[in-house]
């Protein structure tokens, strides 16, 4: 079964600082997703990465994918309080099954 | 354009009871997947329905069953509820790509919070 690991699990950072969340997965995949979840809410899609070297940016968030290293990163630039949430990466298997395997999430708290 | 609609939003059940959760997919989507998210955890795949059949299943017991209707909506049924079934149940819809069994754009519903007491 595909395993997905995220780190750190908890991240507390000051406003204006930069940081990176890492997502490692155990077998080959052709798609990787990043989601945001606010407390008690559903998953909001942030990025879909479909190829090696893919980089996508939206506002203060930038995601990248290295399929050879089986690694994706979510980089936060100049954090603001509104970014406080839990961030999940999710990976789909390259063949066969169509479901997603999620990491355990990174709970981000941005401190004013 | 309505997204994924789930009902009910919250539910409290007693151990041993049965529960049915409902999901209407996003317009244009034909595949429905169900996920269970325990508190503080990432979502775990339960099963996926396409063309009214269960196409894939995760590591969940037979107490978890489902159905998909001709209009693509879906139900998740859980029998003999256990305290450990307390979780947020998420429905995700997607569009199958030309019968390949793969869809890249998932839309999640707001979820049903199930509490078993």
């Amino acid at each position: 079964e595909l395993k997905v690991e995220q780190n750190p699990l908890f991240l507390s950072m000051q406003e204006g600082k930069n940081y990176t969340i890492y997502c490692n997965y155990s077998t080959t995949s052709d798609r990787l997703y990043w989601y945001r979840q606010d407390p008690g809410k559903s998953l909001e899609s942030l990025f879909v990465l479909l190829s090696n070297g893919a980089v996508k940016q939206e506002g203060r968030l930038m995601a990248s994918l290295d399929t050879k290293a089986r690694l994706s990163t979510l980089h936060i630039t100049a954090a603001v309080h509104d970014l406080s949430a839990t961030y999940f990466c999710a990976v789909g298997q390259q063949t066969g099954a169509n479901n997603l395997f999620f990491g355990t999430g990174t709970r981000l708290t941005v401190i004013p | 354009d309505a997204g994924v609609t789930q009902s009910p939003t919250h539910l409290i059940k007693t151990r041993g009871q049965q529960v049915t959760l409902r999901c209407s997919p996003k317009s244009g989507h034909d595949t429905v997947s169900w996920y269970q998210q325990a508190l503080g955890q990432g979502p775990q795949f339960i099963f996926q329905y396409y063309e009214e059949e269960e196409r894939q299943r995760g590591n969940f017991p037979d107490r978890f069953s489902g159905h998909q209707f001709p209009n693509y909506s879906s139900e998740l049924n859980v029998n003999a509820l256990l305290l450990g079934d307390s979780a947020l149940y998420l429905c995700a819809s997607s569009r199958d790509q030309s019968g390949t069994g793969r869809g890249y754009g998932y839309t999640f519903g707001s979820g049903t919070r199930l509490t078993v007491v």
Side-chain angles (χ1 to χ4, degrees), chain A residues 1 30-31 33 35 37 40-43 45 48 50 88 92-100 102-104 107, chain B residues 31 35 37 40-45 48 55-56 59 88 90 94 101-106 108-111 113:
Chain A
E1 181 179 287
D30 60 351
R31 53 210 163 104
Y33 301 79
Y35 290 94
Q37 187 176 41
K41 304 295 184 182
S42 187
L43 299 171
S45 178
V48 182
L50 299 178
F88 290 96
Q93 293 180 163
Q94 190 160 352
T95 58
N98 194 30
N99 56 294
L100 298 180
F102 282 80
T104 50
R107 185 177 295 180
Chain B
T31 303
Y35 289 82
Q37 187 179 19
Q41 301 294 318
Q44 302 234 335
F45 175 71
Q48 183 182 85
R55 181 158 64 181
Q56 295 164 230
N59 190 24
L88 178 68
L90 295 167
S94 58
R102 307 184 69 72
Y104 294 97
Y106 296 88
F108 282 82
S110 299
R113 173 73 63 185

Side-chain angles (χ1 to χ4, degrees), chain B residues 38-102:
Chain B
L39 197 61
Q41 301 294 318
Q44 302 234 335
F45 175 71
I46 302 174
F47 43 53
Q48 183 182 85
Y49 277 84
Y50 173 68
E51 292 188 340
E52 302 179 48
E53 292 189 355
E54 183 183 291
R55 181 158 64 181
Q56 295 164 230
R57 188 178 184 89
N59 190 24
F60 278 80
D62 292 345
R63 297 187 297 110
F64 290 77
S65 63
H67 190 77
Q68 186 179 34
F69 299 93
N71 66 352
Y72 307 120
S73 67
S74 177
E75 290 182 347
L76 163 64
N77 301 293
V78 187
N79 294 323
L81 284 166
L82 303 173
L83 294 179
D85 295 332
S86 296
L88 178 68
Y89 288 84
L90 295 167
C91 169
S93 72
S94 58
R95 182 174 178 83
D96 183 84
Q97 296 197 338
S98 303
T100 62
R102 307 184 69 72

Side-chain angles (χ1 to χ4, degrees), chain B residues 25-39:
Chain B
K26 181 179 177 179
S27 178
H29 285 184
D30 55 11
T31 303
V32 173
S33 304
W34 288 91
Y35 289 82
Q36 180 196 65
Q37 187 179 19
L39 197 61

Side-chain angles (χ1 to χ4, degrees), chain A residues 41-79:
Chain A
K41 304 295 184 182
S42 187
L43 299 171
E44 174 191 353
S45 178
L46 297 174
F47 302 107
V48 182
L49 303 170
L50 299 178
S51 61
N52 186 41
V55 177
K56 291 194 175 181
Q57 183 164 6
E58 181 72 32
R60 300 175 187 275
L61 301 178
M62 182 174 71
S64 66
L65 177 62
D66 181 345
T67 58
K68 294 179 181 178
R70 297 177 189 162
L71 170 68
S72 180
T73 61
L74 180 66
H75 187 73
I76 303 157
T77 301

